[in-house]
Amino acid sequence: MGRQCGAPAKGNQARMMRQHQLIERVQRYNPGADEDLLNRAYVYAMKAHGAQTRASGDPYFTHPLEVAAILTDLKLDDATIAAAVLHDVIEDTAATREEIDRLFGPEIGRLVEGLTKLRRLDLVSKRAEQGENFRKLLLAVAEDVRVLLVKLADRLHNMRTLHFVPPTKRARIAQETLDIYAPLAGRMGMQGMRDELEDLAFRHLQPEAHAMILARLAEMKQGGAAQVERIVGEVRETMRAAGVEGDVHGRQKQPYSIWRKMDRKTLSLEKLSDIYGFRVLVGTVDDCYRALGAAHVAWPCVMGRFKDYVSTPKQNGYRSLHSTVVLPGNRRVELQIRTRRMHEIDEYGIAAHALYKDGGAADETGAYAWLRRTIAMLNEGASPEEFLEHTKMELFHDQVFCFTPKGRLIALPRGATPIDFAYALHSDVGARAQGAKVNGRIAPLLAKLQNGDEVEIAVADAPTAPPPAWEEAVATGKAKAAIRRATRSAAREQFSGLGRGMVDLAFRRAGKTWTEDRLKGVLSRLARPSLDDVFVAVGRAELKPVDVVRALHPSYTEAGRTGARPDAKEAGWFGVRRAANLVFRRPGREAPEASEEASAIPIRGLQGDLPVRFAPDGGALPGDRIVGILTPGEGITIYPIQSPALSKFDDAPERWLDVRWDVDPDRRELFPARVAVTIANEPGALGIVAGAIGERGANIDKLRFTGGAADLRDLVIDVEVQDLQHLNDVIKDLKTRGKTVVNAERVHA
Ligand code: MN
C-alpha cells in the first residue's frame, strides 16, 4: 500500500479531494485516462449523495472518493475508479442500475451493481465460523475481480474511519474484517492490504494488547537491526559452506501475527524470534532439504517446532519448511525454507497461478502485476468468464453457496439441489424432506440451486423412501449414499414381502400349513440366518418356495404343475402396485402446476434394485390380466397375459408368478399402450385420429407410419391411457370416425 498504514484521517472536511486531484492521481500511472468519464462520475456521485453525512460528520461523498484514491494506489483502470466513486449510489441514493448504464455504460453499471449485491450480503456475514465460506461466496458472487478490489478498498476506508462509528458496532465490523476481508486480501495477493486490515481490526478488538506490542517493538528495535543483520550473515555463511545456493532475509513480523503467536499466559515478548523471522529462498525442492540439513547440522533445533509443509502442503496450498534453531548465545531463530516459486505462491496467492500460466518470470513483480495484466485483458474484450478462468477464480465456480433461513451458510457443489441441501443440514432432514422453498417460493426438490439462494426444507414426520432415480439427480456424495441406502432397504422390504407371499402360496398348493415359529426352527436347513433372509431369497428367486415347504415337510414333492401357465382361478394373487409414471414428489405436499414438470422424473416401471419392473413395450394396463416372470437376482417382470413375448418362458413354469393390479384409484396415472390404426389416405385424416384420441383424454406418445396399400395408410400409435376400459373407449371412438378410420385395434409388442 502506498498509503500511511492505518493513520486515521481526522477532520476531513477541509480536505475533500477535488475533481482535478482525483484525475491527477489517475493520470500519474495512466496518462490516457478518460478524464471526461471520471469527471462525470465525480459530479454524479457528489450530487447523488447530496447532504448525506458519515459518522465522522464529513460529507458522505468523501467516502467513495477515498475508496477511489486507495484504488489509484493500486493503479487500477478507469472503469474501476469510476465504479469506486459510484459504489454506494444504488444502495444509498435514488440512483438505479439503468441510469448508471445509460450514463456510464454497462461495464460500470455491472461493477456498481456487483458492489450493491455484495453490500446486501454483508447482512448475512455475521457468523465468524462462516468466514471461509463467506469469502468464497464473495468470490462467486462478485464474478469480476474488480468488484472485490473496490469492496476491499471500501472496507479498508471504513476500517480507517472506524473510530467514528459508535463503539457498539466497532467490534462486529472489526471481527468481520479479521474473519473475512483480511484473509480475502491475502488470498488475492494483496499482502499490504491484508496487513493494514488486520492491524486496524486488531487495534479495535484488543486496544491494550496492540499498544503493548507496539511499545515493545519500539524498545526492541533499538539494537535489533544490527542483530538481525548479524543473523542473516550467519545463516548465509552456513548455507554457503554447505554448498546451498539461496537468498537469506530477515523480516519483522506484523503486530497482529505476533499477537496471534504470543504466549497468552505470560504475554512475554522478549525473544528476537517473537518479532523477527528469517527466510531462506532456494531453487529446488531438493535445495530446501539440503538447506534444512545444513541448518540442523550447524545448530540444534527446537523440538516440536519443525514442520514440513513441502511434502505435505497446507490445505490452501502453502508450502514451506519451518524450523526453529538455536544460534550461539541462546538466540532462537525461526527459519522458513522454501523455493522461490513456493514463495511467490505464498505472496500472491491465486495471482501466482496467473503469473505462471503466462510462462514463468513476469517482468513486473509485486502483488498487483497480475491484476494489472488481467484487467488489461478484460479491457481488450475478453469475457468475464475467460477472465475468471485466467485468475483461477473458477476454483469457486464449481460450488454454490446457499443459506438457511437463519443465515447459516451451506457450501455445495454446483448442480446441487434442495435435496442435497437437506442432507447437508442433517441426514435426518434429508430423509424426511418433502418440499422446499427457495427464496421464499415453493420450488421443486430437484431444482438447481444458485449462489445466494435461501433454502427452506419442509420435513415429514417420518422418513420416507426417496425415489431411486434421485440418486442420479443429486450432486453430493452424502445425498447419493443416503438415497442408495434407503433404496436398498426399500428393495429388500419389497423382496421380502414378495417372497413371503410366494412361500404362503406354495404351502397352500401343497395343502400344508405353516407358522413363522415353525419355519424359524428349520432355518439351518435353508442355510439362511433369519426368516426375513429366507423371504428375501425367495423374492429374489434365489431360493425356490417349494424348498421352503420341504424344509418343514421333507417328504413333500411338487406334483401336477409342469409346463402349464398359471391357472387364473387358482387362489393366491400377489399385489403389484403399479409404479409407472411415478411423479417423484413425496406425498404430503402439493407443488404448484408450473414446477410439476421440473420436479417430476417420470419413469417406466421401478428402477434400480427394486424387484418389480414392466416389460418394455409390454403395454400392460390396469384391467389386463397380467403375469410376472421371475428372473433370479433381479425380481419380476410384468407382462399382459396375451403378450407374445411370454412364449419364451413356456418351458420354465417355475418362473411364472400370478400377479394382479393394485392401482391407487386416486392417482390418475397414465399407462402406455399400442394401437394399430388404418386410415384413408386423405387430407386431414391424421388430424381426425389425433382429435379422437385427445377428446377421450388420452395422450399420444409416439406415432409412426408402417406402410399401407393403395388409398390406405397404416399407423402405429403409442398412447397413454388410464386403464383397459379407457383404451377400449379410445378404440371404439376411432372406429366411429366414418370412412377416415378403416380399422383400429390394440397390439402387443
Ligand atoms: Mn462504501
Side-chain angles (χ1 to χ4, degrees):
M1 303 297 306
R3 295 182 59 82
Q4 277 265 275
C5 179
K10 286 178 198 132
N12 262 344
Q13 274 104 330
R15 297 197 291 105
M16 193 205 287
M17 198 190 306
R18 301 293 164 200
Q19 225 163 313
H20 69 91
Q21 291 172 306
L22 177 66
I23 308 287
E24 279 163 18
R25 272 175 164 273
V26 176
Q27 281 175 334
R28 241 176 271 155
Y29 63 88
N30 178 11
D34 186 344
E35 243 180 272
D36 175 57
L37 170 75
L38 296 171
N39 279 326
R40 283 188 293 119
Y42 186 103
V43 172
Y44 180 87
M46 184 172 61
K47 284 186 181 160
H49 286 295
Q52 293 172 352
T53 56
R54 306 197 82 214
S56 61
D58 289 338
Y60 191 90
F61 184 51
T62 56
H63 164 67
L65 275 184
E66 287 298 320
V67 173
I70 290 169
L71 293 166
T72 63
D73 290 336
L74 306 188
K75 301 186 172 47
L76 290 174
D77 64 321
D78 296 343
T80 310
I81 303 299
V85 172
L86 297 166
H87 81 269
D88 279 330
V89 295
I90 293 184
E91 190 70 2
D92 288 343
T93 79
T96 62
R97 164 80 197 266
E98 290 67 35
E99 198 174 29
I100 305 287
D101 274 4
R102 187 162 46 76
L103 295 172
F104 303 101
E107 182 189 11
I108 290 171
R110 263 197 310 277
L111 293 174
V112 176
E113 172 142 308
L115 284 151
T116 308
K117 272 201 267 174
L118 289 192
R119 224 181 105 172
R120 289 172 188 157
L121 282 178
D122 277 351
L123 297 173
V124 293
S125 70
K126 285 164 196 161
R127 291 168 63 122
E129 70 267 31
Q130 298 180 168
E132 176 61 17
N133 273 340
F134 193 78
R135 273 193 299 283
K136 289 181 185 173
L137 174 65
L138 288 179
L139 290 174
V141 170
E143 282 173 358
D144 185 324
V145 77
R146 294 175 298 178
V147 170
L148 290 175
L149 294 174
V150 179
K151 182 72 189 171
L152 286 171
D154 177 45
R155 177 51 62 118
L156 182 57
H157 184 246
N158 286 335
M159 287 302 293
R160 283 176 180 171
T161 52
L162 191 61
H163 51 289
F164 292 118
V165 169
T168 48
K169 283 189 180 172
R170 278 183 217 165
R172 182 184 70 74
I173 296 171
Q175 191 64 49
E176 186 184 83
T177 300
L178 266 192
D179 291 337
I180 292 160
Y181 293 98
L184 181 61
R187 209 45 95 67
M188 294 175 66
M190 312 172 82
Q191 210 53 54
M193 169 106 53
R194 179 190 189 142
D195 288 344
E196 187 177 349
L197 286 171
E198 282 182 347
D199 190 61
L200 289 164
F202 177 40
R203 180 183 301 187
H204 284 286
L205 290 170
Q206 309 269 354
E208 282 149 36
H210 186 263
M212 183 268 287
I213 288 173
L214 281 192
R216 292 290 289 130
L217 280 178
E219 258 173 60
M220 293 182 72
K221 225 170 191 167
Q222 300 167 348
Q227 220 187 341
V228 168
E229 269 318 295
R230 211 161 51 236
I231 290 170
V232 166
E234 285 170 73
V235 175
R236 202 173 274 153
E237 177 55 30
T238 301
M239 295 300 141
R240 200 195 54 75
V244 179
E245 204 66 62
D247 311 321
V248 183
H249 307 276
R251 65 196 167 85
Q252 191 197 297
K253 297 177 186 171
Q254 293 293 320
Y256 178 63
S257 85
I258 293 171
W259 169 249
R260 233 178 354 196
K261 286 179 187 160
M262 227 163 96
D263 181 350
R264 297 290 162 82
K265 279 191 195 114
T266 62
L267 290 181
S268 68
L269 185 62
E270 284 140 21
K271 296 184 288 290
L272 186 81
S273 63
D274 292 331
I275 299 170
Y276 289 98
F278 295 84
R279 264 189 201 132
V280 183
L281 300 184
V282 297
T284 65
V285 170
D286 218 39
D287 291 340
C288 289
Y289 292 101
R290 288 171 56 222
L292 179 76
H296 283 187
V297 167
W299 307 294
C301 69
V302 179
M303 293 305 287
R305 296 297 302 272
F306 170 63
K307 301 258 164 59
D308 183 350
Y309 296 120
V310 169
S311 69
T312 313
K314 284 190 186 178
Q315 227 165 15
N316 62 9
Y318 174 85
R319 298 179 79 194
S320 209
L321 297 174
H322 291 188
S323 189
T324 301
V325 292
V326 186
L327 269 55
N330 200 24
R331 292 168 298 159
R332 282 179 172 224
V333 170
E334 258 184 43
L335 286 177
Q336 291 178 350
I337 303 169
R338 54 175 83 156
T339 66
R340 292 179 186 89
R341 174 168 183 160
M342 291 171 195
H343 182 62
E344 277 186 60
I345 289 172
D346 177 41
E347 200 92 328
Y348 307 141
I350 52 174
H353 295 286
L355 289 175
Y356 283 104
K357 221 172 178 178
D358 281 357
D363 298 327
E364 293 178 282
T365 49
Y368 310 124
W370 71 282
L371 283 178
R372 279 199 292 278
R373 259 199 324 264
T374 43
I375 287 164
M377 195 182 77
L378 253 193
N379 289 339
E380 282 158 22
S383 70
E385 289 75 29
E386 284 168 287
F387 174 72
L388 288 168
E389 190 185 4
H390 191 73
T391 57
K392 285 281 177 191
M393 283 175 73
E394 92 277 19
L395 279 180
F396 307 116
H397 271 219
D398 54 11
Q399 283 183 283
V400 290
F401 303 89
C402 302
F403 299 95
T404 65
K406 285 184 179 161
R408 186 173 153 208
L409 191 51
I410 306 289
L412 296 164
R414 188 153 288 273
T417 65
I419 281 292
D420 292 292
F421 186 91
Y423 277 107
L425 286 178
H426 196 279
S427 48
D428 182 55
V429 177
R432 294 194 292 141
Q434 64 171 5
K437 273 187 183 174
V438 174
N439 301 323
R441 305 181 61 174
I442 291 173
L445 278 169
L446 294 177
K448 297 265 179 285
L449 294 173
Q450 307 294 323
N451 265 315
D453 278 350
E454 184 186 294
V455 185
E456 191 179 349
I457 302 292
V459 295
D461 293 336
T464 52
W470 279 11
E471 192 186 327
E472 292 308 311
V474 298
T476 55
K478 190 175 179 188
K480 275 186 200 299
I483 291 166
R484 196 178 313 131
R485 262 197 313 277
T487 302
R488 282 213 189 112
S489 87
R492 192 181 154 84
E493 233 168 81
Q494 290 202 25
F495 279 121
S496 171
L498 180 63
R500 171 186 286 271
M502 290 164 69
V503 166
D504 187 58
L505 177 60
F507 272 102
R508 277 190 277 150
R509 275 181 183 154
K512 315 266 185 195
T513 57
W514 68 286
T515 64
E516 289 203 3
D517 282 343
R518 287 173 66 203
L519 271 186
K520 275 179 192 161
V522 295
L523 282 177
S524 59
R525 278 184 222 164
L526 293 162
R528 294 295 191 288
S530 73
L531 201 53
D532 196 51
D533 285 302
V534 171
F535 293 145
V536 169
V538 172
R540 285 185 189 276
E542 289 157 0
L543 181 64
K544 286 186 191 161
V546 67
D547 290 338
V548 182
V549 179
R550 282 204 200 96
L552 271 187
H553 308 279
S555 59
Y556 171 69
T557 50
E558 199 181 23
R561 279 189 49 81
T562 47
R565 289 191 179 190
D567 179 355
K569 289 190 201 97
E570 191 162 359
W573 299 82
F574 298 98
V576 174
R577 195 168 286 276
R578 170 73 195 204
N581 293 330
L582 259 191
V583 172
F584 281 131
R585 199 173 56 240
R586 294 190 201 179
R589 169 174 289 273
E590 277 314 308
E593 202 78 339
S595 62
E596 181 112 3
E597 191 72 34
S599 69
I601 299 180
I603 57 157
R604 303 263 175 249
L606 293 167
Q607 291 181 333
D609 283 343
L610 295 177
V612 180
R613 64 191 85 222
F614 289 84
D617 301 321
L621 295 174
D624 276 335
R625 166 79 206 281
I626 47 173
V627 293
I629 295 295
L630 274 165
T631 305
E634 280 179 21
I636 56 178
T637 309
I638 305 299
Y639 293 84
I641 194 82
Q642 61 273 51
S643 170
L646 280 171
S647 60
K648 281 184 293 193
F649 308 106
D650 276 346
D651 296 334
E654 74 284 354
R655 294 181 64 185
W656 289 70
L657 197 67
D658 289 342
V659 290
R660 66 171 160 82
W661 290 104
D662 180 18
V663 180
D664 181 354
D666 296 332
R667 207 158 189 159
R668 314 286 302 168
E669 293 170 66
L670 293 176
F671 300 83
R674 186 165 284 181
V675 185
V677 184
T678 303
I679 57 171
N681 188 9
E682 61 185 31
L686 205 53
I688 289 169
V689 169
I693 295 172
E695 274 166 36
R696 271 288 175 185
N699 290 338
I700 295 180
D701 189 35
K702 239 187 295 173
L703 181 153
R704 65 178 195 277
F705 289 97
T706 54
D711 293 336
L712 301 177
R713 309 292 306 270
D714 292 329
L715 292 173
V716 168
I717 306 174
D718 287 335
V719 293
E720 290 179 321
V721 293
Q722 283 160 24
D723 54 23
L724 187 59
Q725 186 59 51
H726 191 193
L727 179 69
N728 288 339
D729 290 346
V730 168
I731 290 173
K732 222 180 290 166
D733 277 6
L734 282 170
K735 285 178 169 170
T736 58
R737 298 294 148 147
K739 288 177 209 152
T740 304
V741 179
V742 177
N743 189 33
E745 61 184 14
R746 184 180 183 192
V747 288
H748 292 280

